Amino acid sequence: MEFHRALEASAEENATQVKRKRDEVSGETCSPADWIRQEGWPVGIRNVGNTCWFSAVIQSLFHLPVFRRLVLNYCLSERVLEKCKSHSEKRNIAFMQELRCLFALMVGSNRRFVDPSAAVELLRDAFRTSEAQQDVSEFTHKLLDWLEDAFQLAANGSNPGDKQDNPMVQLFYGTFVAQRVHEGTTLSTIEQFGQYPLQVNGFNNLDECLEGAMVAGVIESLHCDQTVSSGQERWFSKLPPVLTFELSRFEFNQSLGRPEKIHKKLEFPQIIYMDRYLHKNVEQTHGRRGEVKRLKDQLTVLQQKLESYKNYGSGPTKYPLADMLQYVLEFATTKPLTTSPALLAPTNTIIPMEPSSENTRQGLFQTSVSTFWYKCTIIVKHIQLPPCHNCRPPMEGSLHPAPHNVTEEELSFVRGCLQRWRVEVENSINGMSSAWTLSFLWCLQVPYRLHAVLVHEGQASAGHYWAYIYDHTHKRWLKYNDVMVTESSWEELVRDSYGGMTNASAYCLMYINDRMPHLIADDETGQVLQGMDSLPSILRRYVREDNHWFQQELKEWEEQFCQVPPEGASVPTAHASISGEEPTSKPQHLKAEAPLKAFHEEYSRLFELSQEETTPQQDPRLQHVLIYFFQNKAPNRVIERTLLDQFGDRNLSFDDRSISIMREARAKLRLIKPEDMDMEEYMQWHDDYSMFKTVFAYLLTGLEQYQNGKIREALIYLAHAYQDNTALIKSGEKKGVDHKLIALYRRKCLKLNKNAAMLFKSGEESDVEEGVSIMNDYVIPCMHLIVRDNVSHEDMEVIEAIRNCWCSYLEQDMNESLQEKLSEFLPRVLDCSAERVVLKEPPKVRKSPHDLCSRLAAVMESIHSTSIVTVK
């Protein structure tokens, strides 16, 4: 067939172009081994100049198996080809040929990433620009239009107007009914849609966006006292198998005369149920919306009442009512002292009234020791530990405030009332809190699962695109960022896609019908076809030829870079200064001016960055290892060797100038003799920088977990951050991060002790076990680490509060089981030097400079308003 012959010709031409451009293609990575695709791993798509939008969209479509089959099996008869005379028809066919070749390579190539230049050039011609970065929405509309026209030729070449059999229409297009009431008559029109546009401003989540787009008038009525009739309503009459939402995140600023990006946070679920937006459910949805409004009004009242319970009092300071009742109960049941507190100090211990500034830590320690003597006497009484010979006899009563005179009848009456009131308050709070989890029970019969999220980072005028795509086979999220394909998580997707934290946010959402398994099956029969087996024979041959060329490229690269310079060749000395001095000699086969200029420019650029002022939202050291070295005054030999290693990396070898720079750097590296460089010192500096990034990753992860209410996880990360940072800053403050910031949030996380104490005091077996577990796994190990460090006054206050909390339980009646558990871990709370500290290892963290920089900006921006701190 003529079409197959054209495809063969295209394959041969593409293979020749790949061979001709191998320097350019291979330049994205470091070594030949890194060019090779990992078995079973998806391939990336090379950015050929502001084409990250192409990669994001193509990857999301390719990883829809049903669409991938359509493209790979696209075929036109000779009769149809003969009729294709117009420019647009020929262009669409050519684009389909290139897209087939690209998809075939993405299926069976041995390369880690593929080159989309041929397909991109056709699109660029259509946009009439090769420089401007295209909008994802604009590109996707153009792409879908071309694909729709191309498939129309295959589906019904004789009748271009009939699109019922067009697979693109069947897969991506749906219809909605637009209704409005005019003079008492309901008027309806049916319209087709592909990507459904949704406004972001004014909405908090995807359901609100849909409600606003479908029935804006009704939604307004849910937020006001009066019922507002809608002028027009929209209802989906037919949903496509692949449902794409286009989020409008740009608006035109009239005063500035330019578009601006909307960074507002917008949440979206992994599964959305579309029942309430269907035309067939109009009556049911109308009725339910009235119920929703009524329930929302009730929830507003409950929220106000709940707040009054949580913030009780007539003065300026409010407290939780349940806690206040508990405190009053504790006061009423506390016995007064019968021995003077002055007799509690040991006979050989002096308690300084005001320790001098130079002996603050010693005085603080003596004070805490004197407190221990008293606590030890109580422990001896209640848990039969060996007596302390330097202690006074134990006293009766407590140091806490207590009523001076109360009868048993009064105490019994007050205890009964307070306990009953506290139970009533807690039951009311729990009841009101559970109301917030009320599901509005919409009909849940039409589920759509999130397949892909297209993300834009930047402003309206420029930015970068990537995609998160769900791997349906292995049940995981993958991040497709040009040539890089990495495993991700829902948490990372949320951070990058919801918006509101950084300048990255979701731009396009692609959902698929969860009741149509054929959409994600690798074969129409449901069978799983791997690699080349899923390709038509003509494309299989094309991929094999490309893989053959790839093997040749690898061989040539290995031969080229493993060559040793001939003896006697004149090369620059190893000690020519990168910072600007000229080398004493130059290689005869290479002009050294360009490499030396590149070394000097990079050296100067990084040095200038190292002089920039650090802000809470930005730390230049995260951007490059040499900035860290400059700020810590690393030896010049370490700095220069690091810069040579950078330029000697193969990832710069994509043009003649870069190759010459790489060769010059490698020539300099070969001339460095063992006695010229202490490699242990060199590796230690790089290990310090790796540890610095680890500490930063622990700190940022801990702060993120703290803000999300995951206090236990946050404490582990922050404790490890503090310990590793302590080792770093011993050789210089600039080698680590701000110790005070870590310590501040470590102390905040120790409020876990309060949760553990309340669980323990409840007496419920499961709660008690959880409380003891919190103490043993989180609080006590952290306390031990704090005490072993150069403990600050603030840290010691927190530790003393924890000790006092648990010592107070010794004065209260409790069953034998609780007494036994308390006796097991209380000595560890009071004595932090008796055992080896075992702290849980945190999960692995990401340490890429770009990731850390963006996370630092987001985290510090979110806490800066309440805690003014400086990250050094």
mmCIF file of all heavy atoms in Angstrom, residues 409 575 654 701 769 828 837 859:
data_model
loop_
_atom_site.group_PDB
_atom_site.id
_atom_site.type_symbol
_atom_site.label_atom_id
_atom_site.label_comp_id
_atom_site.label_asym_id
_atom_site.label_seq_id
_atom_site.Cartn_x
_atom_site.Cartn_y
_atom_site.Cartn_z
ATOM 1 N N GLU A 409 -18.094 15.266 101.813
ATOM 2 C CA GLU A 409 -19.386 15.450 101.146
ATOM 3 C C GLU A 409 -19.258 16.489 100.023
ATOM 4 O O GLU A 409 -19.772 16.285 98.912
ATOM 5 C CB GLU A 409 -20.453 15.896 102.148
ATOM 6 C CG GLU A 409 -20.842 14.832 103.161
ATOM 7 C CD GLU A 409 -19.827 14.713 104.290
ATOM 8 O OE1 GLU A 409 -18.937 15.612 104.377
ATOM 9 O OE2 GLU A 409 -19.892 13.751 105.057
ATOM 10 N N HIS A 575 47.412 22.967 37.304
ATOM 11 C CA HIS A 575 47.236 24.004 38.324
ATOM 12 C C HIS A 575 46.951 25.363 37.731
ATOM 13 O O HIS A 575 47.012 26.366 38.440
ATOM 14 C CB HIS A 575 48.485 24.059 39.210
ATOM 15 C CG HIS A 575 48.713 22.794 39.955
ATOM 16 N ND1 HIS A 575 47.890 22.344 40.961
ATOM 17 C CD2 HIS A 575 49.680 21.834 39.814
ATOM 18 C CE1 HIS A 575 48.329 21.198 41.434
ATOM 19 N NE2 HIS A 575 49.407 20.853 40.747
ATOM 20 N N PHE A 654 26.907 18.200 23.703
ATOM 21 C CA PHE A 654 25.893 18.191 22.659
ATOM 22 C C PHE A 654 26.226 19.127 21.497
ATOM 23 O O PHE A 654 25.455 19.249 20.573
ATOM 24 C CB PHE A 654 24.507 18.544 23.234
ATOM 25 C CG PHE A 654 24.470 19.806 24.044
ATOM 26 C CD1 PHE A 654 24.399 21.052 23.437
ATOM 27 C CD2 PHE A 654 24.509 19.738 25.418
ATOM 28 C CE1 PHE A 654 24.353 22.204 24.195
ATOM 29 C CE2 PHE A 654 24.467 20.884 26.187
ATOM 30 C CZ PHE A 654 24.390 22.120 25.580
ATOM 31 N N THR A 701 10.825 18.431 55.396
ATOM 32 C CA THR A 701 9.814 17.373 55.537
ATOM 33 C C THR A 701 9.176 17.431 56.912
ATOM 34 O O THR A 701 7.956 17.262 57.053
ATOM 35 C CB THR A 701 10.449 15.997 55.305
ATOM 36 O OG1 THR A 701 11.140 15.991 54.048
ATOM 37 C CG2 THR A 701 9.380 14.912 55.290
ATOM 38 N N GLU A 769 -1.978 1.738 75.747
ATOM 39 C CA GLU A 769 -0.885 1.184 74.942
ATOM 40 C C GLU A 769 -0.364 2.200 73.932
ATOM 41 O O GLU A 769 0.837 2.323 73.705
ATOM 42 C CB GLU A 769 -1.357 -0.078 74.219
ATOM 43 C CG GLU A 769 -1.610 -1.270 75.122
ATOM 44 C CD GLU A 769 -0.332 -1.738 75.807
ATOM 45 O OE1 GLU A 769 0.754 -1.539 75.236
ATOM 46 O OE2 GLU A 769 -0.422 -2.293 76.916
ATOM 47 N N ARG A 828 12.900 6.315 82.869
ATOM 48 C CA ARG A 828 13.540 6.772 81.634
ATOM 49 C C ARG A 828 13.208 8.230 81.344
ATOM 50 O O ARG A 828 13.974 8.938 80.692
ATOM 51 C CB ARG A 828 13.107 5.899 80.464
ATOM 52 C CG ARG A 828 13.521 4.446 80.603
ATOM 53 C CD ARG A 828 12.941 3.601 79.498
ATOM 54 N NE ARG A 828 13.358 4.080 78.197
ATOM 55 C CZ ARG A 828 12.579 4.094 77.121
ATOM 56 N NH1 ARG A 828 11.329 3.672 77.202
ATOM 57 N NH2 ARG A 828 13.042 4.539 75.977
ATOM 58 N N VAL A 837 20.377 5.652 73.103
ATOM 59 C CA VAL A 837 19.224 6.244 72.447
ATOM 60 C C VAL A 837 18.946 5.492 71.144
ATOM 61 O O VAL A 837 19.834 5.297 70.322
ATOM 62 C CB VAL A 837 19.459 7.736 72.139
ATOM 63 C CG1 VAL A 837 18.252 8.326 71.437
ATOM 64 C CG2 VAL A 837 19.749 8.477 73.423
ATOM 65 N N VAL A 859 7.404 26.365 52.312
ATOM 66 C CA VAL A 859 7.269 26.141 53.749
ATOM 67 C C VAL A 859 7.493 27.426 54.530
ATOM 68 O O VAL A 859 6.705 27.784 55.409
ATOM 69 C CB VAL A 859 8.251 25.047 54.209
ATOM 70 C CG1 VAL A 859 8.279 24.966 55.734
ATOM 71 C CG2 VAL A 859 7.855 23.707 53.637
#
